[in-house]
Amino acid sequence: MADKSSGTAGGNGRGMAAERPEYIRNVALVGHSGSGKTTLVEAMALTARAVNRAGRVEDGTSLSDYDEIEHRQHRSVQLSVVPVAWRGMKINLLDTPGYADFVGELRAGLRAADAALFVISAAEGAEGIAGMTRALWEECAAVGMPRAIVITHLDTARAEFDEMTETCRRVLGNGSSENILPLHLPVYGPKSPDGHRPVTGMVELLPTCVGDYSSGEEVENDPSPEQLPELEEARNRLIEGIIAESEDETLMDRYLEGEAIGLETLITDLERAIARGSFHPVLFAAPAPEDAKQGLGTVELLDLITGGFPTPAEHAVSATNGAQPHQLRCDPEGELAAEVIRTASDPYVGRVSLVRVFSGTLHTDDTVHVRGHGMANRGHPSHDIDERVGAISSPFGKQQRPLGQAIAGDIAYVTKLGHAETGDTLSSTDTPLLIEPWPMPDPLLPIAIHAHSKVDEDKLSQSLARLAAEDPAIRLENNGQTGQLVLWCLGEAHRDVALERLRTRFGVQVDMVEHKVALRETFASKAAGHGRHVKQSGGHGQYAVCDIEVEPLPGGSGIEFVDKVVGGVVPRQFIPSVEKGVRAQAARGVAAGHPLVDVRVTLYDGKAHSVDSSDAAFQTAGALALREAAAAAGIDLLEPLAEIWAIVSDDYLGPVLTDLSSRRGRVLGTEPHGNGRTRVHAEVPELELSRYAIDLRSLSHGTGDFTRTYVRHEPMPGQLAATMRGDKTRA
């Protein structure tokens, strides 16, 4: 589709400062873990001559793999940006993690991007498209984000490009889509004894030529007679798909009447349909032959990005200055509006912010206004503060290349913003703005932690705040009912990375303990209690007697105290003392150490002494009376109940429903959710949900997701309650 010899015009992209937004392309690579995203970034960087050789994920030499945790885990756990230059354009390649636990970083990458490249492994088949990949495809479709598909690992046994393309059409295009079609077809070499077939070339469908790479360099040939039937069928289907998405309504009539549509018209309409988000080309990428300077398909990918993907000027973002939201124009001369996409702590330069500029121009030493969204429930308090920008640089693996400024549409690193957190807005101090936030996943895996030592305890609070500033997918909870410090994560891998960052980056060692669920107690029946606190040890004594009656109330009633004392048997000044003692004992619990709720306590009789009665004595008597009544009535343990909405593939609906029943859940209903999925509505005790985020992912082979909301407390089954009362440490 383009001259392959002039691809590096404009420099190698490292530290390249774009002059206008029209010369920038921001592309997020998304896909399942192991699909080959980082390898593809390396291959495109090599083709664009941004590097001299491609790095390897396995040995930690890739451009995207610059975190020590990624070196140890051999997978991406955070967003990284690799800029390259191609045909005078600056392309910011955003390499996103593919593991579900790091979907927060992935969503940040999509926020910074103007288009998405879905990388799908042919070795994984439909499983590589299921779950998170399909959900992200639908999210991109909802906002009209342009998308293309790149199929990798075609050299593995039983991997077929045609079959994988049809799978993409079926899963991502609802089975009947004619806007997911290949632009090229692979040419395979001889099959090896182990079933592998190397890709040795490609057939371009629109120019109708064959590129043979078997010699290490591309040699263009005409299609062979054996290739023609398959080529013509695929080409006609592609042309019909392009024309169907064309804005020219007469083009299809001309084509059906036999008129030959010019190649230039087809390419123009194709690029327009891709940028509009209505056509999704399928391409492929294969490893470069030995000693070759580019992999198969990388030139075509870079051409697609520069020619078919939209400029930042075509990506509208909403912002508000306290009034009605308005759309920001991608104008370097406009009002400044930028967003912190991710935050990291560097041991040498301090906090480093990765910023996408949506409007205006950000300069070194500018004073900007930093405004946050105020997610206090996740450890991100609201803040409005002016700060001075430090150095501005272009990210490139471990290196940062000085820029001096970042114009609208570009992505850059900014230092010395000590209060800026992921998701914050940077704007002019004269007209502070707040960009509408992107959706963040709800962390559903609770991890209870405490400091390993007194030294760790002194640093823990500040370190957790810094961790939360970097990762908004983490939620911090200081549970007042259980007394635990809880770190809510997206999964076990997310947990492991968070704890390792605490240890290696912030020097804080923590221990995990069993997560406690906030249970409550209530009376099983009506009962009376007699509280007598009489002590005489010489001098001033203590004397207080009170009689109460306790009865259960409906859920959510709390503690109700009623005064029915007559005749002054308990002096008026000591009735609040009895109530205070009763409420204090209720807060401590009367059976297993959980708060007592939903009871009415009636004070109806008592005795006092003119000298020895006191506030403290009647508080003690009230507490004793409540404990005696509890012993007579029996206590029910109440456990919190959560309402959950789970979305699962129909293939795994049966196991998910069975699992919910085993968790003492009540399924309230199911409903179709489209595209072969079902939405399950259920109520499940929170005691059974501590690991549900992990277990649902396992049951549904990574395709399931759920949300949870506290509903109410309900009585716990007798046998389980007896076990919990016998082991207070577990509760």
Side-chain angles (χ1 to χ4, degrees):
M1 290 174 59
D3 178 13
K4 299 179 183 181
S5 64
S6 58
T8 57
N12 60 14
R14 293 178 290 177
M16 173 184 173
E19 297 178 0
R20 296 289 305 168
E22 293 80 7
Y23 302 148
I24 300 173
R25 300 292 186 273
N26 298 308
V27 183
L29 283 80
V30 302
H32 196 273
S33 181
S35 60
K37 298 183 297 299
T38 301
T39 301
L40 184 57
V41 168
E42 292 286 327
M44 287 193 283
L46 178 64
T47 299
R49 300 179 190 172
V51 293
N52 295 322
R53 65 180 183 87
R56 288 169 47 86
V57 178
E58 292 79 2
D59 56 23
T61 60
S62 70
L63 291 169
S64 300
D65 191 15
Y66 57 85
D67 192 287
E68 289 298 325
I69 298 174
E70 293 179 321
H71 289 180
R72 287 188 287 273
Q73 296 198 6
H74 298 295
R75 64 181 173 194
S76 298
V77 302
Q78 61 188 27
L79 173 70
S80 63
V81 183
V82 176
V84 301
W86 189 254
R87 306 200 187 284
M89 304 286 182
K90 178 180 181 180
I91 304 175
N92 290 313
L93 299 170
L94 294 103
D95 187 11
T96 68
Y99 198 64
D101 281 13
F102 309 108
V103 68
E105 296 276 339
L106 191 155
R107 289 179 187 273
L110 286 175
R111 176 57 166 237
D114 304 306
L117 211 55
F118 279 73
V119 183
I120 296 172
S121 171
E124 296 181 1
E127 291 186 2
I129 317 176
M132 186 176 70
T133 301
R134 182 170 64 178
L136 288 168
W137 179 273
E138 293 173 355
E139 287 184 23
C140 292
V143 298
M145 176 175 277
R147 286 147 287 152
I149 297 170
V150 183
I151 297 177
T152 59
H153 299 155
L154 284 171
D155 56 341
T156 56
R158 297 183 299 278
E160 292 289 344
F161 179 77
D162 292 342
E163 182 179 324
M164 200 64 215
T165 301
E166 289 302 312
T167 301
C168 291
R169 294 181 64 250
R170 174 173 53 83
V171 177
L172 303 178
N174 296 321
S176 60
S177 175
E178 289 298 328
N179 63 354
I180 299 178
L181 294 169
L183 293 183
H184 315 97
L185 301 178
V187 176
Y188 293 97
K191 184 180 294 187
S192 63
D194 60 1
H196 289 229
R197 290 195 304 167
V199 179
T200 59
M202 67 166 58
V203 180
E204 295 197 41
L205 294 179
L206 289 182
T208 317
C209 62
V210 178
D212 184 0
Y213 288 82
S214 58
S215 64
E217 295 182 359
E218 183 189 17
V219 177
E220 287 195 4
N221 298 313
D222 293 327
S224 66
E226 294 80 12
Q227 293 172 323
L228 280 175
E230 181 184 7
L231 188 155
E232 284 300 320
E233 181 183 353
R235 187 175 191 275
N236 290 337
R237 192 176 181 183
L238 173 62
I239 292 174
E240 291 172 7
I242 294 172
I243 293 175
E245 298 299 332
S246 169
E247 294 181 339
D248 187 349
E249 297 179 356
T250 66
L251 199 57
M252 180 61 78
D253 294 333
R254 291 160 52 196
Y255 174 74
L256 293 176
E257 290 172 0
E259 180 180 338
I261 308 300
L263 179 62
E264 185 176 340
T265 300
L266 288 173
I267 292 177
T268 300
D269 285 346
L270 169 66
E271 292 177 345
R272 185 186 298 119
I274 294 171
R276 212 169 52 233
S278 59
F279 188 87
H280 315 294
V282 182
L283 302 93
F284 72 90
E290 189 175 356
D291 298 327
K293 293 298 183 182
Q294 64 189 46
L296 274 71
T298 53
V299 168
E300 288 72 20
L301 274 173
L302 291 166
D303 284 344
L304 172 72
I305 291 171
T306 55
F309 280 172
T311 70
E314 300 171 65
H315 183 184
V317 173
S318 178
T320 179
N321 59 1
Q324 292 295 323
H326 65 279
Q327 298 295 313
L328 293 171
R329 292 179 61 248
C330 186
D331 179 6
E333 304 300 325
E335 57 183 339
L336 177 64
E339 190 167 24
V340 178
I341 301 303
R342 72 177 308 272
T343 310
S345 296
D346 187 281
Y348 303 105
V349 298
R351 184 172 293 187
V352 180
S353 304
L354 183 65
V355 172
R356 161 73 193 257
V357 183
F358 288 102
S359 175
T361 300
L362 189 64
H363 301 90
T364 299
D365 294 331
D366 276 352
T367 299
V368 298
H369 186 77
V370 181
R371 175 178 288 184
H373 290 283
M375 296 182 292
N377 62 326
R378 292 199 180 192
H380 304 267
S382 299
H383 54 273
D384 282 273
I385 190 170
D386 291 345
E387 291 195 279
R388 189 176 181 181
V389 171
I392 299 177
S393 58
S394 177
F396 196 81
K398 291 183 179 180
Q399 304 174 10
Q400 296 179 21
R401 306 300 177 100
L403 282 179
Q405 68 176 27
I407 67 168
D410 209 352
I411 299 172
Y413 269 132
V414 176
T415 62
K416 295 187 178 180
L417 295 178
H419 292 85
E421 300 183 356
T422 301
D424 285 359
T425 301
L426 310 182
S427 58
S428 167
T429 56
D430 298 328
T431 55
L433 296 173
L434 185 64
I435 297 176
E436 184 177 317
W438 70 80
M440 290 301 300
D442 191 15
L444 296 169
L445 179 66
I447 310 298
I449 60 173
H450 66 71
H452 182 73
S453 66
K454 181 63 171 66
V455 174
D456 296 314
E457 186 176 350
D458 293 338
K459 298 188 293 183
L460 182 58
S461 178
Q462 183 179 4
S463 298
L464 286 174
R466 293 170 66 187
L467 183 67
E470 293 185 9
D471 188 354
I474 284 177
R475 177 159 61 91
L476 301 178
E477 177 191 10
N478 228 324
N479 194 309
Q481 297 184 53
T482 64
Q484 284 190 319
L485 179 60
V486 182
L487 200 64
W488 289 83
C489 303
L490 296 173
E492 289 180 306
H494 191 211
R495 172 203 66 192
D496 293 344
V497 168
L499 297 183
E500 189 165 356
R501 279 180 176 158
L502 278 176
R503 180 178 60 83
T504 59
R505 188 174 294 176
F506 305 122
V508 176
Q509 182 76 33
V510 298
D511 298 323
M512 289 190 297
V513 295
E514 186 172 3
H515 175 244
K516 299 177 183 178
V517 172
L519 304 180
R520 298 175 183 172
E521 302 172 355
T522 193
F523 272 52
S525 61
K526 188 175 182 179
H530 176 73
R532 184 174 186 273
H533 181 62
V534 178
K535 287 188 177 181
Q536 190 68 47
S537 57
H540 190 69
Q542 300 182 49
Y543 188 95
V545 178
C546 64
D547 292 285
I548 62 172
E549 185 177 73
V550 187
E551 57 187 314
L553 294 177
S557 300
I559 301 290
E560 183 180 329
F561 186 84
V562 180
D563 170 22
K564 286 192 176 181
V565 173
V566 295
V569 292
V570 177
R572 305 307 302 173
Q573 69 267 30
F574 294 133
I575 290 176
S577 303
V578 176
E579 180 179 0
K580 188 175 181 181
V582 165
R583 291 188 180 276
Q585 185 63 56
R588 293 191 297 268
V590 292
H594 306 293
L596 178 71
V597 296
D598 304 334
V599 294
R600 178 185 290 120
V601 180
T602 303
L603 174 65
Y604 64 89
D605 201 1
K607 292 181 182 180
H609 189 277
S610 59
V611 176
D612 293 341
S613 291
S614 65
D615 171 65
F618 271 99
Q619 285 190 46
T620 303
L624 292 171
L626 185 63
R627 292 208 297 266
E628 183 177 288
I635 295 297
D636 284 339
L637 276 185
L638 303 177
E639 60 180 339
L641 201 68
E643 178 184 50
I644 72 165
W645 291 91
I647 298 174
V648 298
S649 170
D650 292 346
D651 296 336
Y652 309 112
L653 179 59
V656 169
L657 294 177
T658 301
D659 178 70
L660 286 173
S661 297
S662 71
R663 297 174 186 271
R664 300 185 285 122
R666 293 193 296 269
V667 177
L668 303 180
T670 60
E671 59 187 42
H673 194 67
N675 209 3
R677 291 176 297 170
T678 297
R679 193 168 184 238
V680 180
H681 184 204
E683 290 183 346
V684 187
E686 288 192 8
L687 278 169
E688 308 290 344
L689 290 177
S690 290
R691 287 184 51 85
Y692 192 59
I694 300 168
D695 296 339
L696 177 62
R697 191 179 297 167
S698 175
L699 281 168
S700 61
H701 291 223
T703 64
D705 193 13
F706 81 105
T707 59
R708 59 184 284 179
T709 308
Y710 166 77
V711 180
R712 60 186 176 277
H713 274 68
E714 279 194 353
M716 185 183 294
Q719 185 175 357
L720 181 58
T723 302
M724 300 295 282
R725 280 193 293 265
D727 182 7
K728 296 182 183 180
T729 59
R730 181 181 173 190

